[in-house]
Amino acid sequence: MVSNLQEAAAFKAQQKFRLKPTQTILLSFVLMIGLGTLLLMLPVSTTNYAGLPFMDALFVSTSASCVTGLTVVDVQNELSFFGKCVLLLLIQVGGLGIMTLATMVAHAMGYRFPLKQSLIVQESLNQSGRAGLFVLIRRMIFYTFMIEGFFALLLTVHFYPEFGLEAIGYGIFHAVSAFCNAGFDLFGNYDSLCKRADDFVLLAGIGLPIILGGIGFTVIYDVLHCRSWRQYSLHTKIVLVSNVFLLLGGTLLIWGLEANNSETLANVPAAEQLAQSAFMSVSCRTAGFNTFDLAKATQITQLIMIILMFVGASPLSTGGGIKSTTMFVIVRSVWAVFRGESELVIFGRTISKELRDQAFATFTVGTIWVVTMGMLLSVLDGEVHELEEVIFETVSAFGTVGMGIGITLSWNDWGKGLLALTMLLGRVGIMSFMLAFIWQKQSAVIKYPEEEIMLG
């Protein structure tokens, strides 16, 4: 009897301390960031053979693992070949997700996953069921290396006249950085693409993989295998419509606002103005490459970029943000309220109340996080920089964009730590991050009476 009670107590204790899927996912990123930090601190990782200081190594490792692109080191001039390889590996694993790659390797070796491990993988991929899970992972791996390989070859050929055999490294690095929406580059001096803004082939070679990485793997599959719009899933339809609207809207607004700004686009030909505006609209969605100095853009342009960065990419992609589908559902829900619609119907399909609640929760918590971090960073900064610059930096970290407005290098260790935490939250996902620390209650059996309150 005593033995049975002890076994029951031990089982209960084991259940109590067992990690939830969201906690396992978060822990996997933390461990990857920790390993990257240690590697970047090694003397062999830097050109001066001193290694990066701990906080700088942690910041860069977090930025690469969370495919953000904010950096406090000059990647080209301060990191050695080994350091750049570490950075590239962190970007690749971070873009696909460590759980995805580990699952694919284990599955290829014949390991069969029990329910608990399958639930963790489902959570990491934002899937509701086990059906087709490993097929999806294989597709993700296949699409990733096919797309990265194609654009790596394209960029290598393009870079060869300038860099010779080193063009291979440049091509691979920028193809992976673009598809994973990381935003790191090898051009040095924190210039990103500013000195190459007239290179249309380079803009296309980086911009197209950014778009493909940002729309998500399920959308790529639908577009390749479905012959008509009617065959697309509702998710694919929403992603395509929202992305076209955001990309075209962002392009026109940036072009209209910056075309007469002598500090950015006014002194270049009209075709280049349009190309740069389109590229910046694409890159704002979570990639982080830029073709002109963001600090010299108008405040309205900076605000538009903040909005684009906050929305971010689409689900099951290599990007961050609250996601385009979330924003689409919120806007459509608000319109449904104004029209007095009892149900939310999109493209002939009804969106459940649970999904609508999740969309509003994601938006609300994301907004609260950005505002809170912006306030804390402003306090730590001593209000040396303008509030809009701090908010820009915060949203860039939250959306895993990595666009810098020129203040990244000035943060102290506390500021770097808060931005690193924000990058981690943005990559894991706001809902997954919060659920890793909040224990959900079971559905209540008792129903309480309703009562009206006044709103608005």
Side-chain angles (χ1 to χ4, degrees):
M1 181 67 179
V2 175
S3 177
N4 291 337
L5 289 175
Q6 290 176 338
E7 290 179 3
F11 178 76
K12 186 176 181 180
Q14 183 183 10
Q15 290 292 105
K16 182 178 180 180
F17 292 103
R18 179 177 293 177
L19 292 177
K20 298 191 296 183
T22 50
Q23 292 173 330
T24 304
I25 296 165
L26 181 60
L27 181 61
S28 70
F29 272 95
V30 171
L31 292 175
M32 179 169 63
I33 290 169
L35 177 60
T37 301
L38 293 176
L39 292 174
L40 291 173
M41 290 176 67
L42 296 175
V44 71
S45 291
T46 56
T47 54
N48 62 3
Y49 297 103
L52 293 180
F54 170 73
M55 188 52 70
D56 288 351
L58 176 64
F59 188 90
V60 174
S61 178
T62 304
S63 184
S65 301
C66 300
V67 290
T68 304
L70 288 175
T71 180
V72 290
V73 300
D74 187 332
V75 175
Q76 172 64 10
N77 297 316
E78 294 183 42
L79 292 185
S80 65
F81 177 78
F82 177 80
K84 292 169 186 172
C85 289
V86 170
L87 195 69
L88 183 63
L89 185 61
L90 290 174
I91 292 170
Q92 185 69 86
V93 177
L96 280 172
I98 190 169
M99 298 303 300
T100 302
L101 290 174
T103 301
M104 192 66 239
V105 171
H107 189 66
M109 295 174 64
Y111 180 75
R112 293 298 176 261
F113 289 80
L115 178 60
K116 183 177 184 297
Q117 280 73 24
S118 295
L119 290 174
I120 294 172
V121 180
Q122 284 176 218
E123 187 71 34
S124 69
L125 296 177
N126 196 26
Q127 297 296 295
S128 58
R130 298 177 68 184
L133 191 61
F134 297 106
V135 174
L136 172 61
I137 293 175
R138 285 197 296 270
R139 287 177 190 158
M140 290 174 62
I141 302 293
F142 176 75
Y143 291 151
T144 296
F145 290 112
M146 286 297 293
I147 293 171
E148 288 179 353
F150 174 80
F151 284 100
L153 179 61
L154 175 67
L155 291 173
T156 296
V157 173
H158 183 65
F159 285 139
Y160 185 79
E162 180 179 358
F163 298 108
L165 290 179
E166 290 185 6
I168 298 173
Y170 276 79
I172 293 173
F173 188 95
H174 290 99
V176 173
S177 183
F179 181 74
C180 291
N181 280 218
F184 286 95
D185 67 87
L186 297 180
F187 300 122
N189 303 314
Y190 306 99
D191 287 332
S192 191
L193 306 185
C194 292
K195 294 181 179 178
R196 299 170 180 268
D198 58 347
D199 189 340
F200 290 179
V201 175
L202 179 60
L203 297 186
I206 290 180
L208 290 176
I210 291 174
I211 294 173
L212 293 173
I215 62 176
F217 296 98
T218 55
V219 176
I220 294 175
Y221 177 82
D222 271 2
V223 171
L224 290 176
H225 293 85
C226 296
R227 297 182 179 180
S228 67
W229 174 264
R230 296 183 62 182
Q231 293 180 315
Y232 290 164
S233 66
L234 177 61
H235 171 81
T236 296
K237 292 177 180 178
I238 292 176
V239 168
L240 293 177
V241 170
S242 59
N243 273 270
V244 168
F245 176 80
L246 289 169
L247 294 180
L248 288 180
T251 298
L252 294 176
L253 287 171
I254 293 172
W255 189 22
L257 291 166
E258 296 300 320
N260 296 319
N261 184 352
S262 59
E263 303 270 16
T264 55
L265 298 181
N267 299 321
V268 300
E272 187 178 331
Q273 289 181 356
L274 183 59
Q276 286 197 47
S277 299
F279 182 87
M280 291 297 289
S281 180
V282 169
S283 189
C284 277
R285 297 290 306 289
T286 71
F289 296 96
N290 56 285
T291 58
F292 55 76
D293 189 346
L294 303 179
K296 296 178 180 179
T298 64
Q299 289 186 333
I300 300 300
T301 299
Q302 293 174 6
L303 177 60
I304 291 169
M305 291 180 175
I306 287 174
I307 295 171
L308 291 174
M309 291 190 296
F310 185 74
V311 174
S314 302
L316 202 59
S317 71
T318 57
I322 65 169
K323 302 296 189 292
S324 59
T325 50
T326 300
M327 201 68 216
F328 189 97
V329 169
I330 290 173
V331 172
R332 184 63 183 83
S333 296
V334 172
W335 181 244
V337 171
F338 289 149
R339 294 194 61 184
E341 299 173 0
S342 58
E343 292 184 336
L344 178 60
V345 179
I346 300 176
F347 297 121
R349 296 292 185 270
T350 301
I351 302 297
S352 68
K353 181 180 181 301
E354 289 75 14
L355 280 178
R356 282 181 281 167
D357 289 345
Q358 182 177 336
F360 278 99
T362 300
F363 178 84
T364 303
V365 177
T367 303
I368 292 173
W369 183 277
V370 167
V371 172
T372 303
M373 287 298 107
M375 293 171 60
L376 290 175
L377 287 168
S378 292
V379 172
L380 291 171
D381 180 55
E383 297 189 3
V384 172
H385 299 103
E386 298 292 333
L387 181 60
E388 61 266 22
E389 294 178 333
V390 177
I391 294 296
F392 191 101
E393 189 92 345
T394 306
V395 177
S396 181
F398 173 79
T400 68
V401 182
M403 277 191 171
I405 201 166
I407 65 175
T408 307
L409 295 174
S410 64
W411 294 112
N412 59 24
D413 287 350
W414 285 102
K416 293 174 185 176
L418 288 177
L419 284 172
L421 180 61
T422 302
M423 288 188 280
L424 177 60
L425 177 142
R427 181 64 187 98
V428 173
I430 186 72
M431 293 301 291
S432 295
F433 186 89
M434 299 305 294
L435 290 175
F437 301 99
I438 299 174
W439 293 96
Q440 293 180 292
K441 293 182 178 180
Q442 299 294 328
S443 299
V445 177
I446 300 174
K447 300 296 183 182
Y448 294 93
E450 295 183 0
E451 185 172 345
E452 300 293 331
I453 63 171
M454 290 181 288
L455 297 175

